Amino acid sequence: MSAFPQRTPSGQAVSGKGWGITKNQLRALVNECRSQSAWRDDDTIRDFVEKFVIPRTRGLGMGLSLSLNQNCPKSVNLMISHAWDENASRFFDDLETHVREDEVAFLCFLALYQCGDGAGPSIGEQLGPDIYAGPFCEVIDSLRP
């Protein structure tokens, strides 16, 4: 058994390398979230997912990145790692500073469907039983020259 893709409402199966988000999309998301009363400058990535990602994607069966691009999934050309307990505000500020406008990023917490509500694949199903056949390796392999 391999990793499960996410499916768009039209039924298109999209694997990890199609779960990208652009810098403009990321900027708009962060600005929108920062304008909400739930935003706290000391929130972690884990808090951000609970407050903003899960409510926005619940029932969709797709991660936030694919939900933004369901009509034309974005092919990833940059993989960015994070820590669940790092400060979300500083993380997003670093992305704003260092990610180029033409880059399409795979950010795990925005790429994977986080809800666990049965509307889409679970995190475990998206990762699959073999790390070498899952979305992380798929993205890394697609970035090799």
Side-chain angles (χ1 to χ4, degrees):
M1 175 187 248
S2 61
F4 284 38
Q6 296 174 18
R7 294 198 178 273
T8 65
S10 69
Q12 178 185 5
V14 182
S15 65
K17 65 184 174 186
W19 302 344
I21 188 168
T22 67
K23 185 173 182 179
N24 279 337
Q25 290 172 323
L26 188 58
R27 183 183 297 126
L29 171 68
V30 171
N31 287 339
E32 178 189 329
C33 294
R34 282 183 167 153
S35 73
Q36 296 180 21
S37 61
W39 179 270
R40 298 285 178 264
D41 285 337
D42 61 346
D43 279 349
T44 65
I45 296 293
R46 185 183 318 275
D47 298 326
F48 181 84
V49 168
E50 289 295 323
K51 290 180 177 183
F52 301 106
V53 175
I54 290 175
R56 190 171 179 146
T57 57
R58 187 175 286 121
L60 298 179
M62 298 175 283
L64 186 57
S65 297
L66 183 57
S67 74
L68 293 173
N69 300 298
Q70 59 190 273
N71 294 325
C72 187
K74 301 285 184 202
S75 294
V76 172
N77 61 18
L78 176 69
M79 184 167 197
I80 299 173
S81 185
H82 71 88
W84 283 103
D85 291 324
E86 73 181 295
N87 180 273
S89 186
R90 285 192 300 271
F91 179 78
F92 292 129
D93 289 345
D94 287 344
L95 295 182
E96 181 62 33
T97 300
H98 299 289
V99 173
R100 295 188 328 250
E101 296 294 333
D102 64 329
E103 291 177 313
V104 178
F106 180 98
L107 291 163
C108 173
F109 66 96
L110 298 178
L112 272 72
Y113 185 57
Q114 300 285 335
C115 297
D117 59 4
S122 69
I123 291 174
E125 289 170 333
Q126 291 169 88
L127 296 177
D130 179 1
I131 191 167
Y132 297 106
F136 297 117
C137 283
E138 177 190 12
V139 168
I140 290 168
D141 287 345
S142 76
L143 299 177
R144 292 185 182 169

